[in-house]
Each structure stands twice: as C-alpha cells, then as structure tokens.
Amino acid sequence: IQIKEIKQQLLEQIQSFPEDKKIQAQQQIEAMDSEQLEEFLKQNNLIKPSAGDSPQKCIFCSIIFNEIESHKIDENKRAIAILELNPLSKGHTLIVPKEHLSSSEELPSEVFSLAKKISKKIKSKLKPKEITINSTNLFGHEILNVIPIYDKQPTEKKQATEEELNQL
C-alpha cells in the first residue's frame, strides 16, 4: 500500500470538515506511520483485514463483491448505486463502476446513465431544488456523486444513521 497516496486521499476527504476539526484530523493523519494508518483504515472499514497475504481490495471493490455491507438502491450491468454513509444531503448517492477505473475518462456510458436514473428517482421522491453529479476518485476508484441540493449547497458531511439509510 502506498502510504503517501492514501494519506493524500484521506486529507482530500476531510476538506469539508469544520476548520478546527480539519486541522486536528490533518495532524493525526500526517503523524501516522504505516501500521497506524493500516489500523485506522481497518477500524473505519476502509480496507478489510487481510486474510493471509491476499491482496487488499479498495472499499468500493469490496462493496461490489458483497464483502462489505452497503445500502444498494439500484444497479445496471456496469455500475451500482449505493447510499453515501456520510452524506452531504438526504439522498446523496454514490455510483460505483463495477470495474476498478482510476479516471473519469474511463467511465463507461452506463455509469452515467445509472447516475441520471438515480437523479430522476431522487427528484421525484425527495423533491430537491437541484441535483449535482460529479466524479471523484477515492482509494484509486473513480466514482460519481449524485448530490441533492435542497435550500443551500451542502458543505458538511455527517454520518447517516442506519434508520435514515433504511428509510431512503
């Protein structure tokens, strides 16, 4: 595992944290050695503990292979749609290609068509003012975020409860 790369991805993930928490999280991430980082990733279910020397999958590949539980709401031949566990807003959904792709240029059209389908479902059921769809790369896996916007642009992620996820 490339420690520098993983730390960089974690640092990108905390950009939406409140300033005081962001500084504290940055310091913690930067201070971790490789073993602490690996333990942190396991504790937060970002990687699975290795059985023997089997290569570690990214969290999204583990979700695709049903090795990690997720709240799947739809899928097609090339992608799955899962609810974000730490959503920016109600209905925030991740569209995850079933193939481990590392850039948005590689995303097949079916990934975008699933994002549009989910976007329509969210519009009809949750009635947001608008929906943004953007791509991001997490743990080397390119994904699409489908983010409903209600009154104002969401800026902070917060952990959704199991009840909220099941309700959606």
Side-chain angles (χ1 to χ4, degrees), residues 115-155:
K116 287 179 186 145
K117 180 181 176 186
I118 294 302
S119 180
K120 284 180 186 168
K121 278 186 184 178
I122 291 170
K123 276 182 185 164
S124 72
K125 302 260 190 249
L126 302 177
K127 311 274 189 260
K129 284 186 178 174
E130 64 178 297
I131 293 182
T132 62
I133 298 174
N134 58 44
S135 67
T136 188
N137 190 302
L138 298 171
F139 309 104
H141 200 123
E142 195 69 24
I143 61 170
L144 293 178
N145 280 283
V146 178
I147 305 169
I149 297 170
Y150 298 95
D151 293 328
K152 57 183 184 335
Q153 181 72 29
T155 55

Side-chain angles (χ1 to χ4, degrees), residues 10-11 14 17 25 32 37 41 54 60 72 74 81 84 103 106 111 115 142 152 159 166:
L10 287 171
L11 291 170
I14 63 170
F17 281 25
M32 287 183 206
L37 181 63
L41 294 172
S54 62
F60 299 110
K72 190 187 313 182
D74 205 345
E84 166 65 78
S103 82
E106 297 175 32
V111 174
E142 195 69 24
K152 57 183 184 335
Q159 190 165 5
N166 288 331

Side-chain angles (χ1 to χ4, degrees), residues 4-5 26 47 67 87 98 100 107 113 124 140 148 165 168:
K4 196 174 179 184
E5 200 174 294
Q26 284 173 330
I47 60 172
E67 295 166 354
K98 290 182 178 178
H100 189 97
L107 292 174
S113 60
S124 72
L165 294 168
L168 283 171

Side-chain angles (χ1 to χ4, degrees), residues 54-120:
S54 62
Q56 300 212 343
K57 288 189 186 119
C58 83
I59 187 169
F60 299 110
C61 290
S62 295
I63 289 169
I64 290 163
F65 293 109
N66 293 317
E67 295 166 354
I68 292 179
E69 213 174 292
S70 67
H71 291 272
K72 190 187 313 182
I73 55 174
D74 205 345
E75 76 179 296
N76 65 19
K77 199 170 60 181
R78 304 291 298 270
I80 63 170
I82 59 172
L83 293 173
E84 166 65 78
L85 297 178
N86 299 296
L88 282 165
S89 63
K90 185 177 180 179
H92 181 174
T93 303
L94 303 178
I95 309 300
V96 183
K98 290 182 178 178
E99 198 178 340
H100 189 97
L101 303 169
S102 54
S103 82
S104 58
E105 290 82 47
E106 297 175 32
L107 292 174
S109 61
E110 292 93 340
V111 174
F112 292 100
S113 60
L114 183 57
K116 287 179 186 145
K117 180 181 176 186
I118 294 302
S119 180
K120 284 180 186 168

Side-chain angles (χ1 to χ4, degrees), residues 3 6-8 10-11 14 17 19-41 43-44:
I3 294 158
I6 291 170
K7 282 186 178 183
Q8 186 57 44
L10 287 171
L11 291 170
I14 63 170
F17 281 25
E19 201 56 39
D20 58 330
K21 287 193 168 84
K22 183 164 60 172
I23 291 166
Q24 183 184 0
Q26 284 173 330
Q27 291 169 344
Q28 286 178 325
I29 290 167
E30 288 165 0
M32 287 183 206
D33 64 25
S34 62
E35 286 165 13
Q36 291 168 324
L37 181 63
E38 188 173 348
E39 194 53 41
F40 171 83
L41 294 172
Q43 285 174 350
N44 289 283

